[in-house]
Amino acid sequence: MLFYVAPMLFIVFEYYTGVGSNAASALITWGIILSTFTYLIGGFAIFRHHILKIANKNNDWPYSAILMATFASFLGMAYLHQPGYQWVLENVYQPLTILMFGFVGFYTVTALFRGSQVRNIHAGVLITCAVLLMLYNAPVGEAIWPGFQTLGGWLKDVPNTGVMRGVVIGVAIGVLATFVRSLLGLETSYLGGD
Amino acid sequence: MIEEILLAVLAVMAWSVLYKQNPLFRVAESMTVGLTLAFVVYTGIDVLGKRVFAPWSQGVWLTPTTVAALLGFMSWTRLGPRSISWISRWPLACLAGIGTGLAVKGVVGPQILGQLTTKSLIASDPLTSVNNVIIVAATVTTLCYFTFSYRHTGVLGASARVGRVFMMLGFGATLGGFVMTAMGYLIGHMFVVVKPPAVYVVAVALAVLGADVIRSRRIM
Amino acid sequence: MKSAKKGPTLSMVNQDRIIFLLIFVTVAVPMIAPLGLPIPVSPTTAKFFDTVEDIPEGSTVLWCTGIGLSIWYNTGPGEIAALKHIIGLVRERGVKLIVFAQSAEGATIVRRILTEYLDLGGLTYGEDYVDLGWIPGGEAALAGVVADFQSTVETDHAGTPASEIPMLIEISGGDDFDVLGFSSGGMIDAWMRQWAPLKKPILLNIIAISVPLCMPYIDKGMVTAYLNGQRGGAEYEKLLMQPGMGTSFIDAQSMIHLYIVAMIAVVSIWSLGRRVKGQ
């Protein structure tokens, strides 16, 4: 708990009193370095999972082998042949990353197809507002009727702002509640699932 | 030209799952994870090299970076057996504490006090006044909806029900923006894929897909 | 007893396949044959343009690329256009530009924009602009850059020590920056917590889904101006009179939006009709 509470309290103390700026800067540097180490933990965990899968010849192990082969060749290129690494980064890695996110677009449309069967007033309000904002965002909406810009803009700037302001305040209160809980020793989520 | 054909091949492999699960998609998926893993490892080691190992190689040891690096190496025990993985709790707790401290120091100003002030409810323009009243009403009723310490009855209950309607407006606005974002993912690559030479790859893929549809209908 | 005559029904899988095919066609047609639909400039993009245009001579601009590769096509057009505009001011008015990324992927995006999309001729790296690469740490990086710049930024993207880069030597923290800007693919709470208290002009390039979520900060003036996703990027290209990715994509965005609105309308009317008939 000391490792959790002490840096947290010190950063807040320094912000409101101005005392100990150098130490607070050092803590921020700790955060930057530590986050890099933890960034690698995830990578190593996935690496270990797939190596074990190949070794034990578990279900779908050939795909894990492809994964490891891709990993090894890309990492090897990064250290041995930078131009090749850059080429693969721009022409294979980036397209594949975007393509895998491309499913979001397709499944959004199917979700809207099924979700737009209005069953009650709340769903009707949600769908109507969504349609108006779609026509606000798309330039063709303004070409069809300039009122979509006015109406969509009003929905975004007035009722939506009020709602999101409530959400932001709620989230902020949650952060403060976490702060108080950790001071009281009630917050243990940072210990993981142990 | 080769890049465009390669993009078309990758697009066909990745999006073939929209038709049905198949080995080509699994290969694309595995490649994506493998490339991402290599990217993570390479960039992570690169940053550590610049920020940690380079100063050490120059004999600079007594810095906050050294302490952080030692904590970082301790965090890697998380990958080890239970007999040593408990050591990783200290650096991870430290990281969580730093993150929470940074969040708490900045939350009071912009996220609470800054949001609690409101523009004049009696403005010179009546429409502005109405808008400001609506914003305040939406904020208050949304907060009422998320107040779970009391039962939603009476005034609180009525406010929560009004808040729910306001929230549908807010989430509808978010959903409207979601469409532009979601479509943006696929529009970028379509720009290349529908033009030669990539379109030839797509044409072949569509022909194979059509043949599979006809074949599965015959089987049925 | 006669059984009710039922028409052919489509399984959910086949319904999805038809929807996907229609999506492809709707997006592909304007790509093959551009419709040339007008791109009206919204007040929000105009305000972003004017805010950048009003950056005083000799100012220092700090730009944080907080996006990953996956949303390159969403915020990339706006990112490129904004940095093109700022680089123009670097050339005209001696503005200084410092760019850094919040993720490793963001660092590759910054490198790509600087090397492929911007005209840096006549400018000196390290004196007019600098690329700090990826500063890890998330919110810690954002806090560190404005609280203690020299401790947080030890090298640039290539590993050159910050002490050897002329334009970074005098920078200590947030007070040394005149304009802050960033792009993001999600919530902007971290930036607001760390940068809003500085009371500097803040520019934001954000995906369309996050605009409603950011309105509390925009409404309060903590964010001075913002670009609304792909549309904002296309509008910005129009204002700069340099059409690019955003302009190429916007026709397809319009068509797919119309398709989805029509689909929702048909399904909603159909389901309401069923409810009225009591089915």
Side-chain angles (χ1 to χ4, degrees), chain A residues 52-105:
Chain A
L52 288 173
K53 214 171 169 184
I54 295 169
N56 298 331
K57 293 222 173 6
N58 290 343
N59 204 21
D60 290 336
W61 73 267
Y63 296 113
S64 294
I66 293 171
L67 190 153
M68 282 293 119
T70 313
F71 163 78
S73 47
F74 194 41
L75 191 64
M77 265 196 279
Y79 286 108
L80 300 172
H81 191 254
Q82 265 292 314
Y85 166 76
Q86 287 297 327
W87 190 90
V88 172
L89 187 73
E90 287 175 23
N91 296 294
V92 183
Y93 175 56
Q94 180 175 355
L96 272 176
T97 308
I98 299 174
L99 286 164
M100 287 299 165
F101 268 85
F103 297 130
V104 174

Short mmCIF file of all heavy atoms in Angstrom, two decimals, chain A residues 52-105:
data_model
loop_
_atom_site.label_atom_id
_atom_site.label_comp_id
_atom_site.label_asym_id
_atom_site.label_seq_id
_atom_site.Cartn_x
_atom_site.Cartn_y
_atom_site.Cartn_z
N LEU A 52 4.28 -21.70 -26.07
CA LEU A 52 3.78 -22.90 -25.38
C LEU A 52 2.78 -23.65 -26.25
O LEU A 52 2.74 -24.88 -26.27
CB LEU A 52 3.13 -22.51 -24.05
CG LEU A 52 4.10 -22.06 -22.95
CD1 LEU A 52 3.34 -21.53 -21.75
CD2 LEU A 52 5.02 -23.20 -22.54
N LYS A 53 1.98 -22.89 -27.00
CA LYS A 53 0.98 -23.50 -27.88
C LYS A 53 1.66 -24.33 -28.96
O LYS A 53 1.21 -25.43 -29.30
CB LYS A 53 0.15 -22.39 -28.51
CG LYS A 53 -1.31 -22.73 -28.76
CD LYS A 53 -2.08 -21.49 -29.17
CE LYS A 53 -3.44 -21.88 -29.66
NZ LYS A 53 -4.21 -20.75 -30.16
N ILE A 54 2.75 -23.78 -29.50
CA ILE A 54 3.48 -24.51 -30.55
C ILE A 54 4.17 -25.73 -29.94
O ILE A 54 4.13 -26.83 -30.50
CB ILE A 54 4.52 -23.58 -31.23
CG1 ILE A 54 3.82 -22.43 -31.96
CG2 ILE A 54 5.38 -24.36 -32.21
CD1 ILE A 54 4.76 -21.33 -32.41
N ALA A 55 4.77 -25.54 -28.78
CA ALA A 55 5.52 -26.64 -28.15
C ALA A 55 4.61 -27.81 -27.80
O ALA A 55 4.97 -28.98 -27.97
CB ALA A 55 6.22 -26.12 -26.90
N ASN A 56 3.40 -27.50 -27.31
CA ASN A 56 2.46 -28.54 -26.90
C ASN A 56 1.56 -29.00 -28.04
O ASN A 56 0.71 -29.86 -27.84
CB ASN A 56 1.59 -28.04 -25.74
CG ASN A 56 2.41 -27.70 -24.52
OD1 ASN A 56 3.47 -28.30 -24.30
ND2 ASN A 56 1.96 -26.75 -23.73
N LYS A 57 1.73 -28.39 -29.22
CA LYS A 57 0.91 -28.70 -30.40
C LYS A 57 -0.58 -28.64 -30.04
O LYS A 57 -1.35 -29.55 -30.36
CB LYS A 57 1.30 -30.05 -31.00
CG LYS A 57 2.69 -30.07 -31.60
CD LYS A 57 2.72 -30.81 -32.90
CE LYS A 57 4.02 -30.78 -33.69
NZ LYS A 57 5.20 -30.19 -33.14
N ASN A 58 -0.96 -27.56 -29.39
CA ASN A 58 -2.38 -27.36 -29.03
C ASN A 58 -3.19 -27.05 -30.28
O ASN A 58 -2.65 -26.91 -31.37
CB ASN A 58 -2.50 -26.20 -28.02
CG ASN A 58 -1.94 -26.58 -26.67
OD1 ASN A 58 -1.74 -27.75 -26.38
ND2 ASN A 58 -1.66 -25.59 -25.84
N ASN A 59 -4.48 -26.89 -30.04
CA ASN A 59 -5.40 -26.56 -31.13
C ASN A 59 -4.95 -25.28 -31.85
O ASN A 59 -4.56 -24.32 -31.22
CB ASN A 59 -6.79 -26.32 -30.51
CG ASN A 59 -7.87 -26.55 -31.52
OD1 ASN A 59 -7.66 -27.23 -32.52
ND2 ASN A 59 -9.03 -25.98 -31.25
N ASP A 60 -4.97 -25.31 -33.17
CA ASP A 60 -4.61 -24.14 -34.00
C ASP A 60 -3.15 -23.73 -33.85
O ASP A 60 -2.81 -22.57 -34.05
CB ASP A 60 -5.50 -22.91 -33.65
CG ASP A 60 -6.93 -23.12 -34.11
OD1 ASP A 60 -7.16 -23.92 -35.04
OD2 ASP A 60 -7.83 -22.47 -33.53
N TRP A 61 -2.27 -24.65 -33.49
CA TRP A 61 -0.86 -24.29 -33.30
C TRP A 61 -0.20 -23.80 -34.60
O TRP A 61 0.73 -22.99 -34.53
CB TRP A 61 -0.06 -25.43 -32.68
CG TRP A 61 0.21 -26.59 -33.59
CD1 TRP A 61 -0.54 -27.71 -33.72
CD2 TRP A 61 1.31 -26.72 -34.49
NE1 TRP A 61 0.01 -28.54 -34.65
CE2 TRP A 61 1.15 -27.97 -35.14
CE3 TRP A 61 2.42 -25.93 -34.82
CZ2 TRP A 61 2.05 -28.43 -36.09
CZ3 TRP A 61 3.31 -26.40 -35.76
CH2 TRP A 61 3.12 -27.64 -36.40
N PRO A 62 -0.64 -24.26 -35.82
CA PRO A 62 0.00 -23.71 -37.03
C PRO A 62 -0.13 -22.19 -37.13
O PRO A 62 0.79 -21.52 -37.62
CB PRO A 62 -0.74 -24.40 -38.18
CG PRO A 62 -1.25 -25.66 -37.59
CD PRO A 62 -1.58 -25.33 -36.18
N TYR A 63 -1.28 -21.67 -36.66
CA TYR A 63 -1.43 -20.21 -36.72
C TYR A 63 -0.49 -19.52 -35.75
O TYR A 63 0.02 -18.43 -36.02
CB TYR A 63 -2.90 -19.82 -36.46
CG TYR A 63 -3.85 -20.34 -37.50
CD1 TYR A 63 -4.80 -21.30 -37.19
CD2 TYR A 63 -3.78 -19.88 -38.82
CE1 TYR A 63 -5.66 -21.80 -38.15
CE2 TYR A 63 -4.64 -20.37 -39.78
CZ TYR A 63 -5.57 -21.34 -39.45
OH TYR A 63 -6.42 -21.83 -40.41
N SER A 64 -0.26 -20.15 -34.61
CA SER A 64 0.73 -19.60 -33.68
C SER A 64 2.12 -19.63 -34.31
O SER A 64 2.93 -18.72 -34.08
CB SER A 64 0.74 -20.39 -32.37
OG SER A 64 -0.47 -20.22 -31.69
N ALA A 65 2.39 -20.68 -35.10
CA ALA A 65 3.69 -20.75 -35.77
C ALA A 65 3.83 -19.61 -36.79
O ALA A 65 4.90 -19.00 -36.90
CB ALA A 65 3.84 -22.10 -36.48
N ILE A 66 2.75 -19.33 -37.51
CA ILE A 66 2.78 -18.20 -38.46
C ILE A 66 3.02 -16.90 -37.70
O ILE A 66 3.80 -16.03 -38.11
CB ILE A 66 1.45 -18.12 -39.25
CG1 ILE A 66 1.32 -19.33 -40.17
CG2 ILE A 66 1.36 -16.82 -40.04
CD1 ILE A 66 -0.04 -19.45 -40.83
N LEU A 67 2.36 -16.78 -36.55
CA LEU A 67 2.52 -15.58 -35.72
C LEU A 67 3.97 -15.42 -35.31
O LEU A 67 4.56 -14.33 -35.43
CB LEU A 67 1.62 -15.72 -34.49
CG LEU A 67 1.40 -14.52 -33.58
CD1 LEU A 67 0.04 -14.65 -32.89
CD2 LEU A 67 2.45 -14.39 -32.52
N MET A 68 4.57 -16.49 -34.83
CA MET A 68 5.96 -16.43 -34.36
C MET A 68 6.92 -16.15 -35.52
O MET A 68 7.89 -15.42 -35.37
CB MET A 68 6.34 -17.74 -33.67
CG MET A 68 5.81 -17.84 -32.26
SD MET A 68 6.59 -16.62 -31.18
CE MET A 68 5.20 -15.68 -30.69
N ALA A 69 6.63 -16.76 -36.67
CA ALA A 69 7.48 -16.53 -37.84
C ALA A 69 7.42 -15.06 -38.27
O ALA A 69 8.44 -14.44 -38.59
CB ALA A 69 7.06 -17.44 -39.00
N THR A 70 6.21 -14.52 -38.26
CA THR A 70 6.04 -13.11 -38.62
C THR A 70 6.77 -12.22 -37.61
O THR A 70 7.46 -11.27 -37.99
CB THR A 70 4.54 -12.73 -38.62
OG1 THR A 70 3.80 -13.71 -39.33
CG2 THR A 70 4.32 -11.37 -39.23
N PHE A 71 6.61 -12.57 -36.34
CA PHE A 71 7.26 -11.80 -35.27
C PHE A 71 8.78 -11.81 -35.46
O PHE A 71 9.43 -10.77 -35.45
CB PHE A 71 6.87 -12.40 -33.92
CG PHE A 71 7.75 -11.99 -32.77
CD1 PHE A 71 7.61 -10.75 -32.19
CD2 PHE A 71 8.74 -12.84 -32.28
CE1 PHE A 71 8.41 -10.35 -31.12
CE2 PHE A 71 9.55 -12.45 -31.24
CZ PHE A 71 9.39 -11.21 -30.66
N ALA A 72 9.32 -13.02 -35.67
CA ALA A 72 10.77 -13.15 -35.76
C ALA A 72 11.31 -12.40 -36.98
O ALA A 72 12.34 -11.70 -36.89
CB ALA A 72 11.15 -14.62 -35.83
N SER A 73 10.62 -12.52 -38.10
CA SER A 73 11.15 -11.89 -39.31
C SER A 73 11.05 -10.36 -39.22
O SER A 73 11.97 -9.65 -39.63
CB SER A 73 10.45 -12.41 -40.56
OG SER A 73 9.07 -12.41 -40.39
N PHE A 74 9.94 -9.85 -38.66
CA PHE A 74 9.78 -8.40 -38.56
C PHE A 74 10.79 -7.82 -37.56
O PHE A 74 11.42 -6.78 -37.82
CB PHE A 74 8.35 -8.07 -38.14
CG PHE A 74 7.95 -6.63 -38.31
CD1 PHE A 74 8.33 -5.89 -39.41
CD2 PHE A 74 7.16 -5.99 -37.36
CE1 PHE A 74 7.95 -4.56 -39.57
CE2 PHE A 74 6.76 -4.66 -37.51
CZ PHE A 74 7.17 -3.95 -38.61
N LEU A 75 10.96 -8.50 -36.44
CA LEU A 75 11.92 -8.02 -35.45
C LEU A 75 13.34 -8.10 -35.99
O LEU A 75 14.16 -7.20 -35.79
CB LEU A 75 11.78 -8.84 -34.16
CG LEU A 75 12.52 -8.29 -32.93
CD1 LEU A 75 11.95 -6.94 -32.53
CD2 LEU A 75 12.41 -9.27 -31.76
N GLY A 76 13.61 -9.18 -36.72
CA GLY A 76 14.94 -9.33 -37.33
C GLY A 76 15.23 -8.22 -38.32
O GLY A 76 16.30 -7.62 -38.34
N MET A 77 14.22 -7.88 -39.13
CA MET A 77 14.39 -6.80 -40.10
C MET A 77 14.62 -5.48 -39.40
O MET A 77 15.38 -4.64 -39.88
CB MET A 77 13.14 -6.69 -40.98
CG MET A 77 13.27 -7.45 -42.28
SD MET A 77 12.04 -6.96 -43.47
CE MET A 77 10.65 -7.89 -42.91
N ALA A 78 13.95 -5.28 -38.26
CA ALA A 78 14.08 -4.01 -37.54
C ALA A 78 15.52 -3.76 -37.14
O ALA A 78 16.01 -2.63 -37.15
CB ALA A 78 13.17 -4.01 -36.31
N TYR A 79 16.22 -4.85 -36.78
CA TYR A 79 17.60 -4.69 -36.31
C TYR A 79 18.64 -4.87 -37.42
O TYR A 79 19.74 -4.34 -37.33
CB TYR A 79 17.90 -5.68 -35.18
CG TYR A 79 17.24 -5.28 -33.88
CD1 TYR A 79 16.15 -5.97 -33.37
CD2 TYR A 79 17.69 -4.16 -33.16
CE1 TYR A 79 15.54 -5.59 -32.19
CE2 TYR A 79 17.08 -3.77 -31.99
CZ TYR A 79 16.01 -4.48 -31.51
OH TYR A 79 15.40 -4.09 -30.35
N LEU A 80 18.27 -5.62 -38.47
CA LEU A 80 19.28 -5.95 -39.48
C LEU A 80 19.09 -5.21 -40.80
O LEU A 80 20.06 -5.05 -41.55
CB LEU A 80 19.25 -7.47 -39.74
CG LEU A 80 19.55 -8.35 -38.53
CD1 LEU A 80 19.31 -9.82 -38.86
CD2 LEU A 80 20.98 -8.14 -38.05
N HIS A 81 17.86 -4.81 -41.11
CA HIS A 81 17.61 -4.19 -42.41
C HIS A 81 16.49 -3.16 -42.25
O HIS A 81 15.32 -3.44 -42.50
CB HIS A 81 17.22 -5.28 -43.44
CG HIS A 81 17.20 -4.77 -44.84
ND1 HIS A 81 16.03 -4.53 -45.54
CD2 HIS A 81 18.20 -4.46 -45.70
CE1 HIS A 81 16.32 -4.09 -46.75
NE2 HIS A 81 17.62 -4.04 -46.88
N GLN A 82 16.88 -1.96 -41.85
CA GLN A 82 15.89 -0.91 -41.57
C GLN A 82 15.00 -0.56 -42.76
O GLN A 82 13.79 -0.39 -42.58
CB GLN A 82 16.59 0.37 -41.07
CG GLN A 82 16.64 0.50 -39.56
CD GLN A 82 15.28 0.72 -38.93
OE1 GLN A 82 14.49 1.54 -39.39
NE2 GLN A 82 14.99 0.01 -37.87
N PRO A 83 15.54 -0.47 -43.98
CA PRO A 83 14.64 -0.15 -45.11
C PRO A 83 13.53 -1.19 -45.28
O PRO A 83 12.38 -0.84 -45.55
CB PRO A 83 15.57 -0.12 -46.32
CG PRO A 83 16.92 0.16 -45.77
CD PRO A 83 16.95 -0.50 -44.43
N GLY A 84 13.88 -2.46 -45.10
CA GLY A 84 12.88 -3.52 -45.19
C GLY A 84 11.85 -3.40 -44.09
O GLY A 84 10.65 -3.56 -44.31
N TYR A 85 12.34 -3.07 -42.89
CA TYR A 85 11.45 -2.88 -41.74
C TYR A 85 10.46 -1.77 -42.04
O TYR A 85 9.26 -1.89 -41.81
CB TYR A 85 12.27 -2.58 -40.50
CG TYR A 85 11.49 -2.03 -39.32
CD1 TYR A 85 10.70 -2.86 -38.55
CD2 TYR A 85 11.55 -0.68 -39.01
CE1 TYR A 85 9.97 -2.35 -37.47
CE2 TYR A 85 10.83 -0.17 -37.94
CZ TYR A 85 10.04 -1.01 -37.18
OH TYR A 85 9.32 -0.50 -36.12
N GLN A 86 10.96 -0.63 -42.57
CA GLN A 86 10.08 0.50 -42.89
C GLN A 86 9.05 0.11 -43.94
O GLN A 86 7.89 0.51 -43.87
CB GLN A 86 10.90 1.70 -43.39
CG GLN A 86 11.70 2.41 -42.31
CD GLN A 86 10.81 3.03 -41.24
OE1 GLN A 86 9.71 3.49 -41.52
NE2 GLN A 86 11.28 3.04 -40.02
N TRP A 87 9.51 -0.65 -44.95
CA TRP A 87 8.60 -1.06 -46.02
C TRP A 87 7.48 -1.93 -45.48
O TRP A 87 6.31 -1.74 -45.80
CB TRP A 87 9.37 -1.81 -47.12
CG TRP A 87 8.56 -2.05 -48.35
CD1 TRP A 87 8.44 -1.25 -49.43
CD2 TRP A 87 7.73 -3.20 -48.61
NE1 TRP A 87 7.59 -1.80 -50.37
CE2 TRP A 87 7.14 -3.00 -49.89
CE3 TRP A 87 7.41 -4.36 -47.91
CZ2 TRP A 87 6.27 -3.93 -50.46
CZ3 TRP A 87 6.54 -5.28 -48.48
CH2 TRP A 87 5.99 -5.06 -49.75
N VAL A 88 7.85 -2.91 -44.65
CA VAL A 88 6.83 -3.79 -44.05
C VAL A 88 5.92 -2.99 -43.12
O VAL A 88 4.71 -3.19 -43.07
CB VAL A 88 7.49 -4.96 -43.29
CG1 VAL A 88 6.46 -5.76 -42.51
CG2 VAL A 88 8.24 -5.86 -44.25
N LEU A 89 6.48 -2.03 -42.39
CA LEU A 89 5.69 -1.20 -41.48
C LEU A 89 4.60 -0.45 -42.25
O LEU A 89 3.44 -0.41 -41.84
CB LEU A 89 6.61 -0.20 -40.77
CG LEU A 89 6.00 0.65 -39.65
CD1 LEU A 89 5.75 -0.19 -38.42
CD2 LEU A 89 6.93 1.81 -39.30
N GLU A 90 4.98 0.14 -43.40
CA GLU A 90 4.02 0.96 -44.15
C GLU A 90 3.09 0.14 -45.03
O GLU A 90 1.95 0.55 -45.25
CB GLU A 90 4.78 1.95 -45.04
CG GLU A 90 5.43 3.08 -44.26
CD GLU A 90 6.27 3.97 -45.15
OE1 GLU A 90 6.02 4.01 -46.37
OE2 GLU A 90 7.19 4.62 -44.62
N ASN A 91 3.56 -0.98 -45.55
CA ASN A 91 2.78 -1.71 -46.54
C ASN A 91 2.14 -3.00 -46.05
O ASN A 91 1.36 -3.59 -46.78
CB ASN A 91 3.67 -2.02 -47.76
CG ASN A 91 4.11 -0.75 -48.45
OD1 ASN A 91 3.29 -0.03 -49.01
ND2 ASN A 91 5.40 -0.46 -48.37
N VAL A 92 2.49 -3.43 -44.86
CA VAL A 92 1.88 -4.65 -44.32
C VAL A 92 1.27 -4.38 -42.94
O VAL A 92 0.09 -4.60 -42.71
CB VAL A 92 2.88 -5.82 -44.24
CG1 VAL A 92 2.19 -7.09 -43.75
CG2 VAL A 92 3.53 -6.08 -45.59
N TYR A 93 2.11 -3.86 -42.03
CA TYR A 93 1.64 -3.68 -40.66
C TYR A 93 0.51 -2.65 -40.58
O TYR A 93 -0.55 -2.91 -40.01
CB TYR A 93 2.82 -3.24 -39.77
CG TYR A 93 2.43 -2.91 -38.35
CD1 TYR A 93 1.76 -3.82 -37.54
CD2 TYR A 93 2.73 -1.67 -37.79
CE1 TYR A 93 1.40 -3.52 -36.25
CE2 TYR A 93 2.37 -1.36 -36.49
CZ TYR A 93 1.71 -2.29 -35.72
OH TYR A 93 1.36 -1.98 -34.43
N GLN A 94 0.73 -1.46 -41.14
CA GLN A 94 -0.31 -0.43 -41.05
C GLN A 94 -1.59 -0.86 -41.76
O GLN A 94 -2.66 -0.74 -41.17
CB GLN A 94 0.20 0.90 -41.61
CG GLN A 94 -0.88 1.98 -41.53
CD GLN A 94 -0.40 3.35 -41.95
OE1 GLN A 94 0.76 3.58 -42.22
NE2 GLN A 94 -1.33 4.30 -41.98
N PRO A 95 -1.55 -1.36 -43.02
CA PRO A 95 -2.80 -1.80 -43.64
C PRO A 95 -3.52 -2.88 -42.84
O PRO A 95 -4.74 -2.82 -42.68
CB PRO A 95 -2.36 -2.34 -45.00
CG PRO A 95 -1.10 -1.67 -45.30
CD PRO A 95 -0.44 -1.45 -43.98
N LEU A 96 -2.77 -3.87 -42.35
CA LEU A 96 -3.43 -4.94 -41.59
C LEU A 96 -4.08 -4.40 -40.33
O LEU A 96 -5.19 -4.81 -39.97
CB LEU A 96 -2.41 -6.03 -41.22
CG LEU A 96 -2.22 -7.14 -42.25
CD1 LEU A 96 -1.12 -8.09 -41.80
CD2 LEU A 96 -3.50 -7.91 -42.50
N THR A 97 -3.41 -3.49 -39.63
CA THR A 97 -3.99 -2.91 -38.41
C THR A 97 -5.30 -2.20 -38.72
O THR A 97 -6.30 -2.36 -38.02
CB THR A 97 -3.01 -1.89 -37.79
OG1 THR A 97 -1.74 -2.50 -37.64
CG2 THR A 97 -3.49 -1.40 -36.45
N ILE A 98 -5.29 -1.41 -39.81
CA ILE A 98 -6.50 -0.67 -40.16
C ILE A 98 -7.59 -1.63 -40.66
O ILE A 98 -8.76 -1.47 -40.35
CB ILE A 98 -6.19 0.40 -41.24
CG1 ILE A 98 -5.19 1.40 -40.70
CG2 ILE A 98 -7.46 1.10 -41.69
CD1 ILE A 98 -4.70 2.40 -41.71
N LEU A 99 -7.19 -2.65 -41.42
CA LEU A 99 -8.18 -3.60 -41.95
C LEU A 99 -8.86 -4.35 -40.81
O LEU A 99 -10.07 -4.61 -40.87
CB LEU A 99 -7.50 -4.58 -42.90
CG LEU A 99 -7.12 -4.03 -44.26
CD1 LEU A 99 -6.13 -4.94 -44.96
CD2 LEU A 99 -8.36 -3.84 -45.13
N MET A 100 -8.10 -4.71 -39.79
CA MET A 100 -8.70 -5.43 -38.66
C MET A 100 -9.69 -4.52 -37.93
O MET A 100 -10.68 -5.00 -37.38
CB MET A 100 -7.62 -5.92 -37.70
CG MET A 100 -6.83 -7.09 -38.26
SD MET A 100 -7.89 -8.51 -38.58
CE MET A 100 -6.84 -9.51 -39.60
N PHE A 101 -9.44 -3.21 -37.90
CA PHE A 101 -10.40 -2.30 -37.30
C PHE A 101 -11.56 -2.02 -38.24
O PHE A 101 -12.59 -1.49 -37.83
CB PHE A 101 -9.72 -0.97 -36.93
CG PHE A 101 -9.20 -0.94 -35.53
CD1 PHE A 101 -7.96 -1.45 -35.21
CD2 PHE A 101 -9.97 -0.42 -34.51
CE1 PHE A 101 -7.49 -1.43 -33.92
CE2 PHE A 101 -9.52 -0.40 -33.21
CZ PHE A 101 -8.27 -0.90 -32.91
N GLY A 102 -11.38 -2.36 -39.53
CA GLY A 102 -12.43 -2.11 -40.51
C GLY A 102 -13.71 -2.86 -40.21
O GLY A 102 -14.79 -2.45 -40.63
N PHE A 103 -13.59 -3.98 -39.44
CA PHE A 103 -14.80 -4.73 -39.10
C PHE A 103 -15.79 -3.88 -38.31
O PHE A 103 -16.99 -4.10 -38.37
CB PHE A 103 -14.44 -5.95 -38.23
CG PHE A 103 -13.57 -6.92 -38.94
CD1 PHE A 103 -12.42 -7.40 -38.34
CD2 PHE A 103 -13.88 -7.35 -40.21
CE1 PHE A 103 -11.61 -8.28 -39.01
CE2 PHE A 103 -13.06 -8.24 -40.88
CZ PHE A 103 -11.92 -8.71 -40.28
N VAL A 104 -15.23 -2.94 -37.55
CA VAL A 104 -16.10 -2.07 -36.74
C VAL A 104 -17.14 -1.42 -37.64
O VAL A 104 -18.32 -1.35 -37.27
CB VAL A 104 -15.25 -1.00 -36.03
CG1 VAL A 104 -16.14 0.00 -35.31
CG2 VAL A 104 -14.30 -1.63 -35.05
N GLY A 105 -16.70 -0.98 -38.82
CA GLY A 105 -17.63 -0.32 -39.73
C GLY A 105 -18.74 -1.25 -40.17
O GLY A 105 -19.92 -0.89 -40.14
#
